[in-house]
Structures are given as C-alpha cells and as structure tokens.
C-alpha cells in the first residue's frame, strides 16, 4: 500500500496536468447554480467548508456531462448539480430504495423525492436504486462521465466501500472520473479502534478504489481542515453542523468548523 505522502506527491503532478486539461471549461452554469435562489441561506453558509465550485472543478465537472451522485442524502449537492446540468447534461441520483418501511433509508428516499418535486430545477434528475453491500446499477453501464460521493464512505464499511467502487467502475465510461470526498482519519489513529468515529483513512479509500480497477489521478487539500484532529467525544458528529453535544463546548467546535476531508480523483 502506498503511503499518503507518496500519493500526495504523485497527485501534485497529476493535478497540474488536470488543471491544463480543464482550463478552457466554461462552468458559468455551475456558478449560477451555486448562487441560485433555490438554495437556502443555511446551505449556502456551508460552502465555506464544502467548496463546491473548487471541488467540482477539481473533478473536471462540466455542464455537458452525465453525472451520478451516490447517496445524495438530503440533496445538498443535488441542489447544485441538478441546475448545473439541466438542459445540457444528465444527473442520476443513486439513492437507497424506498422499501415501504419506517426506517432511515426509506424515509431519506421519500424526503429526497419530495425535494425533487418541489422545484423545477430538479425536473431532469433521475433516481436509481443503490444498496451499499449489494451490486447496484447506479446508471446504465459505461454511460457516466463522472461519479461522485460526498461524505458517505464511513456509512458503508469496508465491504460496502469495495462494492460501491465496483458499481461506480461499471457505470463509468473509459476515462471517466470517480470523485470522492470523505472525513479523513489521521494516519496515527487506529482504524480498527475508531471505525464508528465517522472518519476513514485515506489509504483505505485508495486501496478499495484501486482494487476495483481505478487509478488515483490526483488528491487535493481543497476540503482540508488542519484545526480538526478527528478526536472528538461523538466522532465527526461532534463538529458542526451536527453539534451532537448540544451546548457543551459549542463555541469550541464551531471554531474548529466542519471536518478535515480528503478529496480524491480516480480515473477508469
């Protein structure tokens, strides 16, 4: 397994190449989507931690692409991707299916469907079914230019991570990009002892992506937060926006901000 230091060194070279490749891309539609009135002030306030413009540009996004967002959850990134692609590209939302049960996964799917029905900016989004530990058809085979997942790896475990990367590989065209953003566990922390913290070792994400057939093209510190040591009483949920401890040490955790995150770009 390569060390993180080695990966970052290699990534600087790859990122320089990527910057040249996408320098001429017109992402005015993406900028309009990020600044759109359909986004709430609360969601826009999180841009300072999530850096949507810089992150999507790093992954090579443009408005003509076919894009898959895996496990969009409440649709924070969907609010940006849907209007940014509307009329030119295609967005698939690969989400947990609604089984009719009263559980997190089914309720999350229903809430997302309500959100998509609430505004015309989402009218071209197509939902597909996704189950982390089972082979899932995220989109038609070899149809996608870009597959994205934001802060989801910790929910899937190693088995789920391995399967999702395989599913992403099948959905992507040759030369397509898998973009991953995830809460990053420091190298000096034990994955075995901290699996429920919400943080994932960067080397582990790279390992399973490479086993699925991907090559790491670049890594970025766009979403890094050096104030976050990833050692909190309630794991990553101690930090905003969750603030799981309530008023206890609230100002301390607000001062840290949202988690330190890896941002990885893989190529099929």
């Amino acid at each position: 397994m390569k060390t993180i230091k080695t990966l970052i060194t290699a990534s600087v070279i790859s990122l320089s190449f990527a910057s040249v490749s996408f320098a001429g891309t017109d992402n005015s539609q993406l900028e309009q989507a990020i600044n759109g009135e359909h986004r709430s002030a609360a969601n826009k306030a999180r841009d300072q931690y999530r850096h949507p413009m810089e992150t999507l540009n790093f992954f090579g996004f443009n408005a003509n692409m076919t894009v898959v967002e895996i496990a969009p959850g409440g649709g924070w990134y969907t609010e940006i991707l849907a209007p940014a692609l509307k009329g030119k590209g295609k967005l698939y939302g690969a989400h947990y299916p609604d089984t009719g049960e009263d559980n997190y996964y089914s309720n999350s799917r229903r809430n997302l469907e309500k959100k998509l029905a609430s505004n015309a900016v989402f009218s071209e989004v197509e939902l597909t079914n996704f189950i982390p530990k089972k082979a899932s058809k995220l989109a038609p085979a070899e149809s996608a230019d870009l597959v994205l997942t934001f802060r989801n790896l910790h929910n899937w475990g190693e088995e789920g991570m391995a399967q999702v990367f395989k599913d992403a590989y099948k959905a992507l065209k040759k030369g397509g990009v898998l973009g991953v953003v995830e809460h990053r566990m420091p190298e000096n922390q034990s994955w075995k002892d901290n699996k429920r913290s919400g943080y994932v070792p960067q080397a582990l994400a790279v390992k399973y992506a490479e086993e699925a057939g991907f090559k790491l093209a670049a890594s970025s510190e766009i979403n890094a937060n050096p104030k976050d040591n990833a050692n909190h009483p309630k794991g990553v949920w101690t930090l905003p926006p969750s603030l799981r401890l309530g008023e206890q040490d609230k100002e301390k955790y607000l001062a840290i901000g949202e988690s330190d995150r890896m941002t990885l770009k893989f190529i099929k």
Side-chain angles (χ1 to χ4, degrees):
M1 186 182 298
K2 297 179 181 178
T3 64
I4 296 300
K5 184 176 180 181
T6 302
L7 291 173
I8 292 174
T9 302
S11 297
V12 172
I13 299 172
S14 299
L15 179 54
S16 299
F17 176 78
S19 298
V20 173
S21 299
F22 295 110
T25 300
D26 177 11
N27 269 350
S28 57
Q29 193 158 311
L30 173 58
E31 185 175 1
Q32 291 170 12
I34 291 171
N35 295 321
E37 294 181 0
H38 67 290
R39 298 186 70 215
S40 67
N43 281 356
K44 287 181 179 180
R46 301 185 72 182
D47 290 357
Q48 64 178 308
Y49 302 115
R50 297 187 168 185
H51 311 101
M53 174 64 81
E54 296 87 347
T55 299
L56 291 173
N57 280 336
F58 172 71
F59 291 142
F61 174 92
N62 72 63
N64 299 303
M65 285 182 162
T66 293
V67 178
V68 180
E69 182 185 4
I70 306 176
W76 191 92
Y77 252 104
T78 312
E79 286 187 356
I80 295 169
L81 293 168
L85 291 163
K86 190 175 182 182
K88 294 183 178 181
K90 175 70 178 179
L91 177 60
Y92 290 97
H95 205 282
Y96 310 111
D98 180 1
T99 62
E101 300 171 272
D102 183 15
N103 57 37
Y104 169 80
Y105 301 103
S106 291
N107 291 333
S108 178
R109 174 66 174 243
R110 290 178 209 134
N111 289 335
L112 181 61
E113 289 176 347
K114 289 178 183 177
K115 184 183 187 76
L116 298 184
S118 71
N119 194 306
V121 300
F122 304 117
S123 63
E124 296 179 7
V125 178
E126 183 174 340
L127 294 184
T128 59
N129 291 327
F130 154 72
I131 301 173
K133 295 182 181 181
K134 295 183 180 180
S136 302
K137 188 176 180 179
L138 309 179
E142 300 185 347
S143 67
D145 300 288
L146 181 61
V147 173
L148 301 169
T149 182
F150 302 99
R151 305 168 315 282
N152 285 309
L153 302 189
H154 61 280
N155 292 319
W156 300 335
E158 293 188 49
E159 181 184 352
M161 206 184 311
Q163 182 60 58
V164 172
F165 288 153
K166 290 176 184 176
D167 294 338
Y169 194 88
K170 290 177 182 178
L172 282 164
K173 301 172 182 176
K174 185 177 180 181
V177 171
L178 168 65
V180 176
V181 177
E182 177 60 300
H183 312 295
R184 177 166 49 191
M185 181 176 287
E187 291 184 78
N188 62 3
Q189 280 191 16
S190 166
W191 166 243
K192 180 181 178 181
D193 296 335
N194 294 281
K195 288 183 179 181
R196 299 180 66 84
S197 69
Y199 293 89
V200 173
Q202 182 164 321
L204 194 67
V206 173
K207 171 181 180 288
Y208 284 115
E210 290 184 338
E211 286 183 358
F214 289 103
K215 300 297 183 184
L216 180 65
S219 65
S220 171
E221 295 301 294
I222 294 168
N223 295 301
N225 180 359
K227 296 179 182 179
D228 177 23
N229 64 11
N231 186 16
H232 312 298
K234 298 291 184 180
V236 73
W237 301 280
T238 310
L239 300 176
S242 297
L243 293 170
R244 192 68 60 84
L245 294 179
E247 294 300 315
Q248 181 182 336
D249 293 324
K250 181 177 179 180
E251 294 305 316
K252 169 187 173 180
Y253 295 117
L254 285 174
I256 293 173
E258 294 193 18
S259 67
D260 176 56
R261 293 161 187 167
M262 63 180 102
T263 304
L264 307 175
K265 177 180 178 179
F266 298 96
I267 302 290
K268 176 176 176 177

